[in-house]
Amino acid sequence: MEKAIPTTTSISDSDLIRQHAYKEYISEARRRGDKMISINAGAVHRALALNNRVPLVCAALGSRKFLTEHGLRIVSKTGPPSGQSTTVTITYEIVTPGSQAPSQKLSAEETWQSLRGIAKDIYASFGGGEAYLRQERANFYGPGKDPLERKS
């Protein structure tokens, strides 16, 4: 007896957001020959009828995957400091005429932002960042290992 193979594949919400942004904004801008395009997170959220997914929309629109797939570079990002609101508007520069971006040199700020949260799981295994630091400070020299102690 043969097993039935599912014919439908589910698409993640992030991929759905990126597809919508490409179809409705990026491809239209390319067709018009625009060099810059702005996308508002609230407009995407409403168009896709999402419920309480604004942070996901903001993350998807600013993701390296989205930028690389469509040859974009973020010029500016407006909105609150958290960067997660329906008022967030990201302005992109279209850096390649096709859909593939060249390897882009990241600015210092972009490089720093890409590292945010990189060791979150490691610190969590120690009980958090503060607990890790307390443990490291307590065990730094250990008993009898203080370099400032004079040997008599």
Side-chain angles (χ1 to χ4, degrees), residues 21-146:
Y22 175 74
K23 181 181 169 193
E24 297 298 321
Y25 297 95
I26 307 302
S27 66
E28 290 298 314
R30 286 184 194 281
R31 187 182 53 75
R32 291 189 305 267
D34 295 346
K35 300 291 183 207
M36 305 280 266
I37 184 75
S38 294
I39 302 176
N40 175 267
V44 172
H45 193 265
R46 281 186 298 280
L48 294 174
L50 298 172
N51 189 16
N52 296 324
R53 303 295 284 174
V54 174
L56 180 67
V57 172
C58 295
L61 293 177
S63 69
R64 183 176 316 280
K65 182 177 182 178
F66 182 67
L67 299 175
T68 304
E69 282 179 356
H70 304 301
L72 305 173
R73 183 179 71 83
I74 295 177
V75 175
S76 68
K77 187 174 181 179
T78 62
S82 69
Q84 298 181 349
S85 167
T86 56
T87 62
V88 168
T89 299
I90 302 175
T91 302
Y92 305 92
E93 175 185 19
I94 299 174
V95 293
T96 58
S99 63
Q100 295 297 320
S103 59
Q104 300 173 7
K105 184 174 180 178
L106 299 176
S107 70
E109 182 178 326
E110 289 170 325
T111 302
W112 174 250
Q113 290 296 328
S114 72
L115 295 174
R116 284 187 76 191
I118 197 165
K120 180 175 70 172
D121 296 333
I122 295 167
Y123 288 124
S125 69
F126 289 103
E130 288 297 319
Y132 172 76
L133 290 174
R134 267 190 244 106
Q135 180 184 358
E136 286 298 305
R137 287 181 185 132
N139 297 324
F140 186 70
Y141 295 117
K145 294 183 182 178
D146 190 345

